[in-house]
Amino acid sequence: DRLSNRVALVTGAANGIGEATAYRLAAEGAAVVVTDIDDERGRAVVAALAANGARAAYLHHDVASETDWQHAVEATVERFGALDVLVNNAGVHGERESIEDVTLAAWERSIAILQTGVFLGMRCATPALRASPHASVVNISSIFGASGGFGGSPAYHAAKGAVRVLTKNAAVHWARDGIRVNSIHPGFIDTGLLGSASTEQGGASAGMQQVMLDVTPMARLGRPEEVAAGVAYLAGDDAAFVTGSELYIDGGFSAR
Ligand code: NAD
């Protein structure tokens, strides 16, 4: 087991990519702290993990809240004795307006969750990560953290781009402390987030789905498990010399 005796905290792990990541890290031997604001689904994920014999716990945790972050890290160390792997995954599609129509409040809410949440996570976890001989941070950005996408959702793109460079900044800063930091850039992955984006943007979910297939060379959506496999790689010692890198799991989208 690549991650036995490691403790992982995965944000937004009640659904989608985070949920698949929690299952995968547990399957690799890690104790997993599932955090989210969706308490019902989060507890169900932990129940499924425990039923498979994994060490797991659920914490209510809004990633935009500094107090919640402090509590989440403290509770993780108290419960499992360490924090080795931090996966900053929680996210929302957020504001849907284009740049001339997005309100300041909508902009700030998206930035708070998608960008400030990642900063707070790395800052609050620093003492625990420094204490770990195997510290690895995996930040979930997006293909839209490295391109302008379809031209809408400016805060989503800005925040995901910030996560990409913040990852590299932290990687360089911590390189000699043994804390690795990498970003993952999923393409179109079949989760609830994608469903909400497609219905609200065009009103025509099927039409938007076709656009996503058209712009993806492999002509299919990705599965959450395919992103989780990348997280598991970056989390463990197979990636011991990998830091500050960006891993695209996107069916070829970014290669065009
Ligand atoms: P999802 O909606 O299935 O899951 C997101 C989870 O985050 C949910 O459980 C939700 O409750 C939680 N969450 C939302 N706001 C939160 C907050 N303030 N604090 C804590 N948790 C919160 O979405 P997903 O597709 O699994 O997305 C996971 C990550 O992957 C996100 O960062 C998203 O931007 C990114 N991503 C997704 C896709 C895609 O196509 N699905 C593509 C690129 C990047």
Side-chain angles (χ1 to χ4, degrees):
D1 290 357
R2 291 194 296 186
L3 298 173
S4 53
N5 300 319
R6 311 270 166 103
V7 180
L9 187 161
V10 184
T11 69
N15 296 284
I17 292 169
E19 176 183 4
T21 297
Y23 293 140
R24 178 63 189 256
L25 298 183
E28 305 251 6
V32 181
V33 177
V34 168
T35 86
D36 208 290
I37 52 174
D38 183 348
D39 298 337
E40 200 180 312
R41 287 280 317 144
R43 292 205 175 94
V45 170
V46 167
L49 285 166
N52 279 332
R55 293 181 302 150
Y58 176 72
L59 293 175
H60 179 89
H61 171 206
D62 177 349
V63 295
S65 158
E66 183 175 21
T67 321
D68 279 15
W69 262 114
Q70 283 160 346
H71 173 253
V73 172
E74 273 170 30
T76 299
V77 173
E78 200 177 283
R79 173 80 186 262
F80 295 115
L83 174 55
D84 306 288
V85 175
L86 171 63
V87 184
N88 284 306
N89 163 79
V92 287
H93 184 267
E95 98 297 346
R96 296 163 203 290
E97 296 81 8
S98 48
I99 199 158
E100 59 271 41
D101 295 323
V102 68
T103 65
L104 180 58
W107 168 274
E108 286 180 337
R109 185 63 190 153
S110 292
I111 298 291
I113 297 169
L114 295 167
Q115 178 176 335
T116 309
V118 176
F119 153 69
L120 285 174
M122 292 199 287
R123 203 199 61 194
C124 293
T126 302
L129 293 171
R130 279 195 195 281
S132 164
H134 306 283
S136 174
V137 179
V138 182
N139 294 326
I140 308 299
S141 177
S142 168
I143 48 172
F144 293 157
S147 78
F150 300 115
S153 305
Y156 187 88
H157 286 72
K160 292 298 189 183
V163 167
R164 174 174 170 270
V165 176
L166 177 61
T167 296
K168 296 181 192 302
N169 181 256
V172 172
H173 177 63
W174 282 332
R176 295 185 183 194
D177 299 312
I179 306 172
R180 295 182 300 101
V181 193
N182 295 285
S183 58
I184 290 188
H185 300 258
F188 302 104
I189 311 298
D190 196 3
T191 70
L193 183 128
L194 201 63
S196 68
S198 51
T199 14
E200 307 257 353
Q201 268 182 355
S205 171
M208 190 61 200
Q209 179 120 345
Q210 191 56 52
V211 170
M212 294 188 277
L213 299 181
D214 288 346
V215 297
T216 300
M218 289 180 78
R220 68 169 175 87
L221 299 181
R223 292 184 292 112
E225 295 76 16
E226 292 172 322
V227 181
V231 179
Y233 162 66
L234 291 170
D237 296 346
D238 281 345
F241 198 51
V242 182
T243 197
S245 77
E246 46 193 287
L247 175 57
Y248 289 82
I249 301 179
D250 66 357
F253 176 91
S254 302
R256 292 171 313 145

